Amino acid sequence: MARKVILDVDPGIDDAVAMCMAMFDPRLEVVAVTATAGNVSADQATRNVQAIVEQLDPPRWPRIGEAREPDQGRPVNSRHLFGGDGLGNSFFQVAELHNRHPSDKVICDEIRAAPDEVTLIALGPLTNIASAFRRDPEVVSLVGQIHIMGGALACGDVTPAAEFNMYCDAEAARNVLRSPTTKTLIPLDVTRQIVMTYDQLDELPDETTAVGRLLRSILPHAFRSYRMNLGLEGIHLNDAVALVAALHPELFQTETMAGDVETSGELTTGATIFDRRPAPEWRGNIDVAIDVDVAGVIDAIIRGLSKTS
Ligand code: RIB
Ligand code: CA
């Protein structure tokens, strides 16, 4: 039976790539895609989720959750990498969505409908997940696993200390990391090792397929912006790597750690802090990916995208 997953995303080009993989993977039943603010505003994130689903027209349409701005969010975005609309300035048209439901309510509904069966794959700030746990505290004990793209052991991206998803809503990130749930963290230290190069575009589905058309609409912008802003001849697909970690855990080495999130440091807000003292006093609360089969993951991403046609 297909594994039930909820994708919580802030599309974002790398979120979009993960959505392409997940919604056509026969091993997964994407019961919902819930939008969260981050790379783009809450409203734009919701529009982007709907636009991607409409462009892809997957075999099974997921429920769509509507994002809201975080209570204590920070005014950052990723337009320098993903463009003004978050999807390479594709500015996809979207049909008006009727009976929209808030993302946190959709998360609670779907977890209650399948206790212990749903894997939450968090690819954006953790606003919705923390909000879902506040909205319905029993959901904490009913959710299956939580896979989180976020955090950093060595150095951040949005600041020297913090990774973007943790930084955007550090309070939410702290609450989720402190929750008594089964969590796996795929940090920048691992996701940054995977770089898609321009020549690998040729290995992706062509424009006769919906996925091929979407990827060719959004990825060229990412290649240009990564070169201009980061001096990189290729792009990071952080969220696609996190999805592969849920599908192919054998490609990752993890270590159980005791982690928390700084919420008030002048220089360190959003930093993920781990107690790795010789005699740690914090209790282990999360499995953290510390090494990865780079070639295996890039192959899994390209194969995952190629299976969609
Ligand atoms: O730091 C990278 C993460 O922040 C990715 O999920 C990217 O999409 C942004 O959300
Ligand atoms: Ca993301």
Side-chain angles (χ1 to χ4, degrees):
M1 188 165 87
R3 180 180 179 183
K4 294 183 189 299
V5 300
I6 294 173
L7 302 181
D8 192 66
V9 293
D10 61 330
I13 290 176
D14 59 335
D15 303 74
V17 173
M19 287 176 65
C20 288
M21 293 169 64
M23 288 197 288
F24 288 89
D25 192 314
R27 294 166 294 182
L28 300 179
E29 180 187 354
V30 183
V31 296
V33 180
T34 49
T36 184
N39 286 317
V40 291
S41 68
D43 182 56
Q44 187 67 51
T46 305
R47 291 175 62 84
N48 286 353
V49 166
Q50 184 181 324
I52 293 164
V53 173
E54 289 178 353
Q55 292 289 321
L56 296 179
D57 188 18
R60 181 192 188 279
W61 281 45
R63 287 186 70 191
I64 293 174
E66 184 177 41
R68 62 164 181 77
E69 295 296 340
D71 299 335
Q72 302 176 58
R74 285 168 185 85
V76 286
N77 59 57
S78 300
R79 69 181 60 201
H80 63 299
L81 289 178
F82 301 144
D85 70 340
L87 295 177
N89 293 331
S90 303
F91 294 109
F92 293 116
Q93 294 302 310
V94 288
E96 276 317 305
L97 191 66
H98 303 298
N99 68 345
R100 285 185 176 191
H101 296 287
S103 289
D104 60 349
K105 181 181 185 312
V106 171
I107 290 169
C108 291
D109 291 349
E110 293 301 327
I111 290 172
R112 277 203 170 272
D116 301 322
E117 290 182 40
V118 175
T119 296
L120 266 175
I121 300 180
L123 305 177
L126 298 175
T127 307
N128 292 333
I129 298 171
S131 181
F133 290 174
R134 279 195 308 274
R135 184 189 191 103
D136 184 352
E138 275 190 48
V139 160
V140 174
S141 60
L142 297 175
V143 63
Q145 302 175 24
I146 308 177
H147 284 263
I148 302 166
M149 191 281 130
L153 294 155
C155 78
D157 51 7
V158 67
T159 75
E163 178 279 327
F164 185 87
N165 289 336
M166 300 291 133
Y167 178 81
C168 280
D169 193 342
E171 290 73 15
R174 166 173 284 191
N175 291 337
V176 173
L177 261 61
R178 290 184 175 184
S179 69
T181 50
T182 302
K183 300 176 286 289
T184 302
L185 189 76
I186 300 88
L188 279 178
D189 313 75
V190 160
T191 63
R192 272 184 176 142
Q193 294 182 46
I194 286 84
V195 177
M196 176 180 272
T197 55
Y198 201 81
D199 60 295
Q200 287 172 314
L201 268 181
D202 295 336
E203 299 178 52
L204 301 182
D206 64 26
E207 288 175 316
T208 62
T209 68
V211 167
R213 285 190 294 275
L214 179 75
L215 293 175
R216 281 167 170 70
S217 174
I218 65 177
L219 289 181
H221 180 98
F223 281 101
R224 287 193 299 274
S225 56
Y226 267 78
R227 181 185 303 122
M228 280 193 320
N229 294 288
L230 302 179
L232 192 65
E233 286 303 327
I235 57 176
H236 293 137
L237 293 173
N238 300 296
D239 294 333
V241 176
L243 177 70
V244 172
L247 288 166
H248 299 283
E250 72 280 3
L251 297 176
F252 297 77
Q253 181 186 343
T254 60
E255 180 181 324
T256 299
M257 294 189 189
D260 205 339
V261 181
E262 176 56 74
T263 58
S264 61
E266 183 187 344
L267 298 176
T268 56
T269 291
T272 40
I273 310 295
F274 299 93
D275 187 353
R276 295 191 283 176
R277 291 173 286 186
E281 293 170 15
W282 297 359
R283 286 181 50 197
N285 61 341
I286 192 163
D287 291 334
V288 180
I290 56 171
D291 203 359
V292 62
D293 173 351
V294 172
V297 170
I298 193 68
D299 179 58
I301 291 172
I302 290 175
R303 275 188 295 109
L305 291 171
S306 303
K307 277 191 312 191
T308 58
S309 47

